[in-house]
């Protein structure tokens, strides 16, 4: 497990075809909405977040990373009955952060991806709960054990998911 | 300056995007009905996702039905036999329950008690969820085009599920009872204590607002009280699993929902409720005791008493015959009574009706003496069991 610090010139920048850029987030949101009803344990995962992180680190563009995160988050908000913007803000920040790190780190190996997803899941949840409780006044329960467990589960899933999605990348 | 803007361009965009969303949040929070301000975005998102979910569910059911109904038929004969036995058992139980229900209706009528009945429901398929642990809601495949409206109750055969929160053209969002923003009026079945059922932050269901000086036992059933004007009274909610005392003067009663909310597939949306005073039993309706009497083997009548043949009856029997029966209610036209009540369904003959008289089974009452105009024929040694209507007649 090696985290390599590389210069911006050495890092590979990828792009995605338009159908992939639209379909992959849509499928992630669809599965996130559909699967927990059939398999309750699946609510532990946050597929839209994983897709946000993947697109952000692959494109290595902060603007596109944050916009992708914002769009995915807003659609996710729209499917819940909570206020629109909670997931939007959290995923905007995660998209920005992931693409910023993508410029500086080698995010191609599994260890980096595991750690990256773990950290960004925690950041995402902190921002979501912070905004929901601090600004909107929602009474949400924070459980460290649950959040750390969910972060680990998402991190493990990301390793396999990112490996599968690597095939969709095109060299820029 | 230009160089500075270029240098901090990305962070400026980040701040702007986050700020715009915060502004949107503030508008939603400030407005009393925040849903209206974000309605358009929700409609777009729901219309983007739900058609795919519907297609998946449709394919899933198609495959499942093909497997179950054409391929996998093992044990169907045994199941059929079991179901037939179950039907017989339930028929007998229905007889007993209908007697109880009849009595309850009479009492409710005396009290002019208004009941709410679920008069119309629409079955719907659960096609998806919110995808968030913080929002406990599901989407169904019926919307305003099917007659669904906001705040309609959603139930299953086991109990209540939630209420309709948002309605779209062909889908609706259902707020489950274990969401923390839901609230249902509930009553404990045995102790008759009322409270408010709420979801918790971790997706459990608790009954609140029950005074702590009351005694509530685990295992007690919880039903809807009808006080929320959404759910009709008496629907199953769940079972008490744990009772906690809070620092305030209320109990916090943990309830296990009657419906498995994490595995919902089909639900019923209550589209119409009727509120009415329950009517007294129709005279044409069948009494439970008569159904039982018809089903059970009857004891053959004894040979006729010679005294009875003389055309008189014992005084006490005659007096009983003239008394109105407790279960008989407002008289009906004779024709209806003769065809439906007395003969066909075995109820007592309508002694107080003066109009037309059926040829054979009419009893004339005068001066406290019951007379049968046709003298009884000599009975054979072994009789066929008579219908209950004839058996009830005084000889």
């Amino acid at each position: 497990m090696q985290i390599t610090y590389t210069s911006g010139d050495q890092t590979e920048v990828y792009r995605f075809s338009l159908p992939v850029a639209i379909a992959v987030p849509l499928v992630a949101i669809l599965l996130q909405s559909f699967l927990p009803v059939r398999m309750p344990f699946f609510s532990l995962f946050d597929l839209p977040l994983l897709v946000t992180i993947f697109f952000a680190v692959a494109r290595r563009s902060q603007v596109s990373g944050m916009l992708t995160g914002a769009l995915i988050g807003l659609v996710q908000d729209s499917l819940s009955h909570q206020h629109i913007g909670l997931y939007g803000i959290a995923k905007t920040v995660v998209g920005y952060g992931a693409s910023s790190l993508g410029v500086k780190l080698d995010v191609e190996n599994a260890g980096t991806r595991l750690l990256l997803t773990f950290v960004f899941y925690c950041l995402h949840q902190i921002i979501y709960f912070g905004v929901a409780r601090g600004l909107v006044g929602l009474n949400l329960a924070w459980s460290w054990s649950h959040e750390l467990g969910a972060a680990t589960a998402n991190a493990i899933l990301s390793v396999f998911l990112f490996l599968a999605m690597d095939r969709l990348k095109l060299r820029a | 300056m230009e160089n500075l803007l270029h240098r901090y361009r990305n962070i400026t965009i980040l701040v702007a995007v986050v700020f715009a969303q915060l502004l949107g949040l503030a508008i939603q929070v400030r407005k009393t009905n925040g849903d209206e301000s974000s309605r358009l975005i929700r409609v777009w998102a729901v219309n983007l996702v739900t058609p795919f979910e519907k297609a998946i569910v449709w394919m899933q059911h198609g495959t499942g039905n093909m497997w179950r109904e054409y391929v996998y038929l093992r044990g169907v004969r045994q199941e059929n036999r079991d179901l037939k036995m179950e039907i017989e058992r339930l028929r007998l139980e229905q007889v007993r329950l209908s007697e109880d229900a009849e009595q309850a209706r009479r009492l409710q009528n005396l009290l002019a008690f208004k009941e709410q009945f679920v008069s119309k429901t629409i079955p719907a398929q659960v096609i998806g969820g919110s995808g968030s642990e913080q929002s406990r809601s599901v989407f169904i495949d019926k919307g305003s085009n099917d007659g669904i409206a906001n705040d309609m109750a959603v139930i299953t055969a086991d109990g209540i599920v939630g209420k309709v929160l948002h309605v779209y053209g062909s889908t609706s969002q259902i707020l489950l009872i274990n969401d923390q923003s839901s609230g249902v009026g509930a009553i404990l079945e045995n102790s008759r204590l009322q409270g408010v059922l709420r979801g918790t932050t971790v997706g459990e269901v608790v009954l609140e607002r029950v005074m702590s000086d009351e005694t509530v036992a685990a295992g007690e059933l919880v039903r809807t009280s009808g006080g929320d004007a959404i759910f009709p009274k008496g629907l199953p909610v769940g079972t008490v699993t744990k009772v906690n005392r809070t620092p305030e003067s209320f109990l916090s009663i943990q309830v296990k929902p009657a419906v498995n909310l994490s595995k919902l597939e089909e639900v019923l949306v209550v589209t119409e409720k009727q509120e009415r005073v329950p009517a007294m039993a129709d005279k044409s309706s069948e009494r439970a005791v008569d159904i039982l009497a018809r089903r059970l083997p009857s004891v053959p009548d004894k040979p006729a008493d010679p005294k009875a043949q003389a055309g008189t009856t014992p005084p006490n029997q005659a007096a009983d015959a003239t008394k109105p029966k407790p279960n008989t209610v407002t008289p009906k036209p004779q024709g209806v009574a003769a065809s439906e009540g007395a003969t066909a369904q075995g109820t007592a003959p309508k002694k107080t009706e003066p109009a037309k008289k059926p040829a054979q089974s009419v009893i004339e009452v005068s001066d406290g003496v019951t007379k049968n105009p046709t003298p009884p024929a000599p009975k054979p040694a072994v009789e066929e069991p008579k219908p209950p209507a004839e058996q009830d007649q005084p000889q």
Side-chain angles (χ1 to χ4, degrees):
Chain A
M1 237 181 261
Q2 188 185 9
I3 301 171
T4 317
Y5 187 87
T6 56
S7 72
D9 297 332
Q10 288 172 301
T11 53
E12 196 88 50
V13 178
Y14 296 98
R15 65 179 180 85
F16 298 91
S17 65
L18 190 65
V20 168
I22 293 171
V24 171
L26 193 63
V27 168
I29 291 167
L30 181 71
L31 291 177
Q32 189 66 41
S33 166
F34 182 78
L35 288 179
V37 178
R38 269 75 189 169
M39 294 179 276
F41 74 91
F42 201 86
S43 60
L44 204 66
F45 298 109
D46 193 342
L47 286 182
L49 176 70
L50 301 186
V51 169
T52 303
I53 295 170
F54 178 78
F55 275 93
V57 295
R59 284 173 175 152
R60 293 187 168 91
S61 159
Q62 291 169 329
V63 174
S64 79
M66 75 174 92
L67 289 180
T68 306
L71 276 176
I72 291 174
L74 288 175
V75 174
Q76 210 179 351
D77 277 322
S78 306
L79 295 177
S80 77
H81 71 278
Q82 308 281 26
H83 296 90
I84 291 180
L86 295 173
Y87 278 115
I89 292 170
K91 286 191 167 61
T92 304
V93 177
V94 167
Y96 180 86
S99 56
S100 303
L101 271 183
V103 176
K104 295 173 180 172
L105 296 177
D106 172 21
V107 285
E108 301 295 321
N109 74 64
T112 317
R113 287 174 167 180
L114 192 85
L115 200 62
L116 199 70
T117 311
F118 184 89
V119 170
F120 278 117
Y121 182 87
C122 292
L123 177 68
H124 176 270
Q125 292 300 92
I126 289 168
I127 295 169
Y128 181 89
F129 275 75
V131 174
R133 288 168 79 165
L135 296 178
V136 183
L138 295 179
N139 179 26
L140 301 178
W142 175 271
S143 161
W144 275 109
S145 57
H146 176 79
E147 299 305 335
L148 291 176
T152 309
N154 278 280
I156 293 168
L157 178 65
S158 73
V159 174
F160 300 101
L161 192 71
F162 289 1
L163 210 61
M165 289 200 295
D166 277 340
R167 297 175 184 186
L168 305 172
K169 291 194 294 192
L170 304 170
R171 285 182 192 279
Chain B
M1 183 66 184
E2 193 180 329
N3 194 23
L4 200 70
L5 271 178
H6 187 262
R7 190 175 172 187
Y8 295 108
R9 187 180 68 109
N10 291 349
I11 194 81
T12 310
I13 294 172
L14 174 69
V15 171
V17 171
V18 171
F19 182 74
Q21 292 182 74
L22 281 174
L23 205 64
L25 266 177
I27 291 167
Q28 290 172 69
V29 173
R30 195 182 167 194
K31 284 197 176 178
T32 321
N33 190 355
D35 290 335
E36 288 306 313
S37 58
S38 56
R39 169 89 186 163
L40 194 63
I41 303 172
R42 288 189 198 276
V43 170
W44 285 348
V46 169
N47 287 337
L48 189 73
V49 173
T50 52
F52 295 106
E53 289 178 335
K54 275 187 182 179
I56 295 171
V57 169
W58 182 78
M59 284 190 289
Q60 191 186 6
H61 275 253
T63 317
N65 286 343
M66 189 170 282
W67 170 256
R68 277 193 302 273
E69 291 172 19
Y70 295 101
V71 183
Y72 189 73
L73 293 172
R74 194 165 65 89
V76 167
R77 284 175 200 275
Q78 180 61 37
E79 192 182 353
N80 197 30
R81 276 195 292 272
D82 292 346
L83 288 173
K84 279 181 179 169
M85 286 172 68
E86 181 75 5
I87 288 170
E88 285 302 312
R89 191 185 64 75
L90 289 173
R91 273 183 183 159
L92 284 173
E93 195 176 332
Q94 189 191 16
V95 168
R96 186 179 63 76
L97 291 175
S98 63
E99 179 77 348
D100 293 346
E102 191 59 43
Q103 189 182 18
R105 270 197 286 273
R106 281 197 299 275
L107 292 170
Q108 284 174 347
N109 196 39
L110 288 172
L111 295 167
F113 179 77
K114 280 188 177 176
E115 269 187 321
Q116 278 191 329
F117 295 93
V118 175
S119 61
K120 195 177 171 191
T121 57
I122 294 178
Q125 185 80 41
V126 174
I127 54 171
S130 66
S132 164
E133 284 184 315
Q134 278 72 47
S135 168
R136 292 182 172 84
S137 58
V138 292
F139 286 92
I140 58 170
D141 64 345
K142 297 284 190 306
S144 56
N145 299 340
D146 306 285
I148 309 284
N150 279 341
D151 288 337
M152 283 181 172
V154 182
I155 60 174
T156 68
D158 296 327
I160 63 167
V161 171
K163 67 165 189 175
V164 178
L165 187 68
H166 295 135
V167 184
Y168 307 97
S170 59
T171 52
S172 303
Q173 191 173 24
I174 310 300
L175 184 70
L176 302 179
I177 56 169
N178 64 347
D179 188 272
Q180 59 176 331
S181 60
S182 81
V184 179
I187 186 168
L188 289 155
E189 194 177 56
N190 296 335
S191 53
R192 311 307 293 171
L193 297 168
Q194 294 206 25
V196 179
L197 196 83
R198 290 195 178 283
T200 65
T201 51
V202 290
E204 292 172 345
V205 179
V206 290
L207 186 65
E208 295 174 342
R209 306 283 165 191
V210 175
M211 296 300 287
S212 59
D213 52 353
E214 305 287 353
T215 309
V216 178
E220 192 170 349
L221 290 176
V222 183
R223 293 185 178 274
T224 52
S225 68
D228 49 29
I230 292 175
F231 295 96
K233 187 178 179 178
L235 295 175
V237 172
T239 316
V240 173
T241 53
K242 200 176 173 185
V243 182
N244 298 318
R245 295 192 180 278
T246 56
E248 300 91 40
S249 53
F250 295 109
L251 292 175
S252 174
I253 301 166
Q254 205 166 319
V255 177
K256 184 189 176 193
V259 180
N260 187 352
L261 297 170
S262 59
K263 281 191 175 177
L264 286 170
E265 287 190 18
E266 285 96 18
V267 293
L268 295 169
V269 184
V270 180
T271 51
E272 268 183 37
K273 287 180 289 184
Q274 276 186 347
E275 195 178 72
R276 61 179 164 92
V277 177
M280 286 280 275
D282 209 354
K283 217 177 178 185
S284 61
S285 67
E286 206 168 8
R287 290 191 306 146
V289 286
D290 298 327
I291 300 168
L292 271 179
R294 204 170 56 234
R295 290 183 178 216
L296 295 173
S298 56
V299 180
D301 288 346
K302 287 180 182 176
D305 192 357
K307 286 178 187 173
Q309 287 188 358
T312 56
T313 49
N316 57 345
Q317 201 178 342
D320 286 346
T322 53
K323 284 180 189 171
K325 288 202 170 187
N327 282 337
T328 50
V329 284
T330 50
K332 285 184 98 177
Q334 181 65 27
V336 176
S339 63
E340 293 175 16
T343 314
Q345 297 181 357
T347 52
K350 314 300 179 287
K351 303 178 188 71
T352 53
E353 290 163 354
K356 287 195 295 180
K357 299 165 190 172
Q360 187 61 34
S361 61
V362 168
I363 309 297
E364 286 186 352
V365 181
S366 64
D367 299 333
V369 179
T370 307
K371 294 174 186 172
N372 195 338
T374 52
K379 294 185 178 180
V382 180
E383 276 189 359
E384 288 291 321
K386 283 185 171 185
E390 288 179 26
Q391 287 171 16
D392 285 347
Q393 290 176 11
Q395 296 294 312

